[in-house]
Amino acid sequence: MNVKHCFLIILLVSYYKVNAQKVYTTEEGHIMMMTLVDEKPIKAESHKLALYLDYDSKVVNGVLDLKTLSTDSPKINALLEQREDPLILRFTGTIPSQDFLSKRHDPINFNWLVTVTFKDKTYKSVIKTTLNHFDQGTTTSCLISARGQVLVPNTGLDSLIEGIDETIDVQFAQLVLRLE
């Protein structure tokens, strides 16, 4: 192998290493929701919350198929499973911290403005969020914990689930790892 080939291989490997950790993704995030349906408390959970974090811009995009929700109501479970049309809920927001993955930090608390889209409706919501730092040897980790309320009339879920309350409490926590 000549010098040009070695240089090209080193350049490609360096490029891959530099660009490999710019986007964090998970397809198995956990989300929990609580609301009332016909004045009875209902809890819904899913382990299929997909999150995409761009390290450079600090933009988080989340996607959840509401059909993956498991509730403590057989009626609502059946209703969600029988739907033929997609029930995709999306949200996006920018984390207002420049370097929460690069160095140790105290908990960062902020009101996170996210844009939520479900079907043809888009609205903004503010979610209380905390970023907690973890050191794990050669990796840097940060736990994103978020909780807030979603106004049901803004989503159109009231047309999907009859008797649902006007608000849904939402919370999720997701660990973000950055490999060095």
Side-chain angles (χ1 to χ4, degrees):
M1 192 173 347
N2 64 28
V3 175
K4 289 181 185 179
H5 286 112
C6 285
F7 181 72
L8 182 60
I9 290 171
I10 291 170
L11 185 64
L12 287 173
V13 168
S14 297
Y15 177 79
Y16 176 75
K17 182 162 176 60
V18 168
N19 290 312
Q21 278 294 301
K22 287 191 176 192
V23 176
Y24 167 80
T25 64
T26 179
E27 302 288 325
E28 298 177 2
H30 181 252
I31 188 167
M32 184 171 61
M33 300 178 205
M34 299 284 293
T35 192
L36 297 174
V37 176
D38 295 328
E39 299 184 22
K40 295 178 185 164
I42 297 291
K43 180 173 91 171
E45 293 183 88
S46 176
H47 292 280
K48 296 293 182 184
L49 174 64
L51 288 181
Y52 307 94
L53 166 63
D54 182 310
Y55 287 139
D56 291 338
S57 66
K58 306 301 185 277
V59 172
V60 174
N61 291 298
V63 179
L64 176 66
D65 184 351
L66 296 181
K67 289 182 180 183
T68 67
L69 289 172
S70 174
T71 74
D72 48 8
S73 166
K75 178 182 172 183
I76 294 175
N77 288 338
L79 177 73
L80 293 173
E81 289 172 12
Q82 293 170 357
R83 294 293 300 224
E84 291 182 20
D85 56 331
L87 296 176
I88 305 297
L89 181 132
R90 299 178 188 281
F91 69 90
T92 188
T94 302
I95 294 177
S97 177
Q98 294 301 313
D99 60 357
F100 68 94
L101 282 173
S102 66
K103 61 185 176 182
R104 175 180 294 277
H105 60 78
D106 291 331
I108 301 169
N109 297 304
F110 57 96
N111 290 326
W112 190 20
L113 179 64
V114 294
T115 302
V116 181
T117 304
F118 180 68
K119 297 201 176 231
D120 297 333
K121 294 190 174 197
T122 299
Y123 62 96
K124 298 202 182 286
S125 186
V126 176
I127 300 172
K128 293 189 180 295
T129 304
T130 301
L131 302 176
N132 286 305
H133 179 81
F134 292 98
D135 276 325
Q136 297 180 340
T138 61
T139 62
T140 300
S141 306
C142 214
L143 179 67
I144 301 173
S145 303
R147 73 174 26 187
Q149 283 193 335
V150 175
L151 296 175
V152 172
N154 290 343
T155 65
L157 285 172
D158 46 352
S159 65
L160 177 67
I161 302 172
E162 195 173 308
I164 193 168
D165 194 39
E166 291 201 10
T167 61
I168 298 174
D169 293 322
V170 177
Q171 63 184 20
F172 71 88
Q174 185 60 47
L175 189 62
V176 177
L177 301 173
R178 181 167 186 163
L179 303 176
E180 301 297 333

